[in-house]
């Protein structure tokens, strides 16, 4: 879900909002609510201002505050208000700071609700997260990190604009690392509690903590994936 401001963007077919922020917000709201009707959680991406693929790791979107609030943020705000489980922060920079550690951007959207969480796109936590640099991402509002690949060249998928060390395993926020950061006083228990509360809130919003709803879920253990019958994945 993105706002299409550049018609030539390589992933325009993924953008539910089109080029109208008001209509886009309504479409996003309907999509999220429809998913909830099926007890399905949604993750809305890419937050924020990720309107091009070219040089996506380094380019910076620099909209003024009025443009940001009136054009680019309404669909994301609508998603949060409708109950999306999470937002996925993007590769690009916003006002010169990578989206996943842009505190102004993430705290602005977190004010819209307390039952969703923010996770990074795969590899959108950059090498500056090494040696304790991940704390800046966490303090900015990042709740969950997604890594890239396990090899130095991203298993052959490293783009020309990817910085050195970009192809990490995404382990800066694993449990042992987070525990160490808390023990060293670099991350507060309150910050960890916030993430836990948000994740539990999103599960509740989607009805996934309701035993009655759980009883209606398909039994995947008994589903034969090689069967010719309809199956759930």
């Amino acid at each position: 879900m993105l706002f299409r401001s550049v018609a030539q963007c390589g992933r325009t077919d993924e953008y539910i909002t089109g080029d109208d922020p008001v209509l886009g917000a309504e479409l996003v709201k309907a999509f999220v609510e429809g998913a909830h009707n099926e007890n399905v959680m949604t993750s809305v991406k890419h937050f924020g201002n990720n309107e091009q693929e070219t040089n996506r790791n380094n380019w910076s979107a620099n909209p003024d505050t009025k443009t940001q609030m009136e054009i680019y943020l309404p669909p994301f705000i609508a998603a949060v208000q409708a109950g999306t489980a999470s937002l996925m922060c993007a590769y690009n920079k916003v006002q010169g700071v990578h989206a996943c550690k842009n505190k102004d951007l993430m705290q602005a959207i977190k004010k819209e609700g307390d039952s969703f969480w923010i996770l990074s796109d795969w590899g959108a936590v950059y090498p500056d997260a090494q040696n304790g640099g991940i704390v800046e991402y966490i303090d900015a509002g990042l709740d969950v990190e997604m890594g890239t690949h396990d090899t130095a060249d991203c298993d052959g998928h490293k783009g020309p604009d990817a910085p050195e060390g970009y192809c990490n395993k995404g382990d800066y926020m694993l449990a042992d690392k987070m525990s160490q950061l808390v023990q060293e006083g670099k991350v507060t228990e309150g910050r960890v509690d916030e993430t836990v509360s948000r994740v539990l809130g999103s599960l509740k919003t989607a009805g996934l903590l309701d035993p009655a709803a759980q009883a209606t879920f398909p039994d995947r253990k008994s589903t034969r994936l090689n069967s010719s019958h309809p199956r759930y994945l």
Side-chain angles (χ1 to χ4, degrees), residues 77-226:
I77 293 174
V80 170
Q81 293 177 345
T84 188
S86 66
L87 297 183
M88 178 182 284
C89 53
Y91 293 112
N92 59 280
K93 298 176 182 179
V94 180
Q95 304 296 346
V97 180
H98 275 115
C100 290
K101 68 171 183 178
N102 191 309
K103 190 169 186 175
D104 290 341
L105 184 68
M106 289 199 283
Q107 292 304 316
I109 197 68
K110 279 193 165 183
K111 291 178 180 178
E112 298 295 332
D114 57 9
S115 294
F116 76 99
W117 38 283
I118 298 178
L119 73 156
S120 74
D121 204 337
W122 273 252
V125 172
Y126 288 93
D128 59 357
Q130 300 177 70
N131 303 316
I134 189 63
V135 173
E136 188 172 354
Y137 288 83
I138 297 170
D139 286 347
L142 184 66
D143 296 298
V144 175
E145 176 202 7
M146 305 302 293
T148 51
H149 299 268
D150 290 343
T151 65
D153 67 344
C154 291
D155 297 327
H157 299 288
K158 184 177 180 180
D161 63 326
E164 188 64 31
Y166 169 73
C167 301
N168 64 82
K169 296 182 180 180
D171 63 354
Y172 300 121
M173 292 177 66
L174 291 179
D176 58 336
K177 302 291 181 63
M178 289 297 296
S179 177
Q180 182 178 351
L181 290 172
V182 171
Q183 291 174 14
E184 294 175 350
K186 296 178 179 178
V187 174
T188 67
E189 291 187 11
R191 177 66 186 88
V192 176
D193 289 345
E194 181 207 338
T195 291
V196 173
S197 176
R198 286 179 172 277
V199 172
L200 290 175
S202 67
L203 288 166
K204 181 179 180 180
T205 298
L208 299 178
L209 300 182
D210 181 359
Q214 293 174 5
T216 68
F217 296 165
D219 181 3
R220 290 173 174 78
K221 292 182 179 180
S222 64
T223 300
R224 294 178 56 193
L225 296 181
N226 62 348

Side-chain angles (χ1 to χ4, degrees), residues 14-36:
E14 299 179 26
Y15 298 179
I16 191 174
T17 55
D19 53 11
D20 185 329
V22 177
L23 175 60
E26 291 300 315
L27 291 172
V28 171
K29 178 182 177 182
F31 185 93
V32 172
E33 291 177 346
H36 280 168

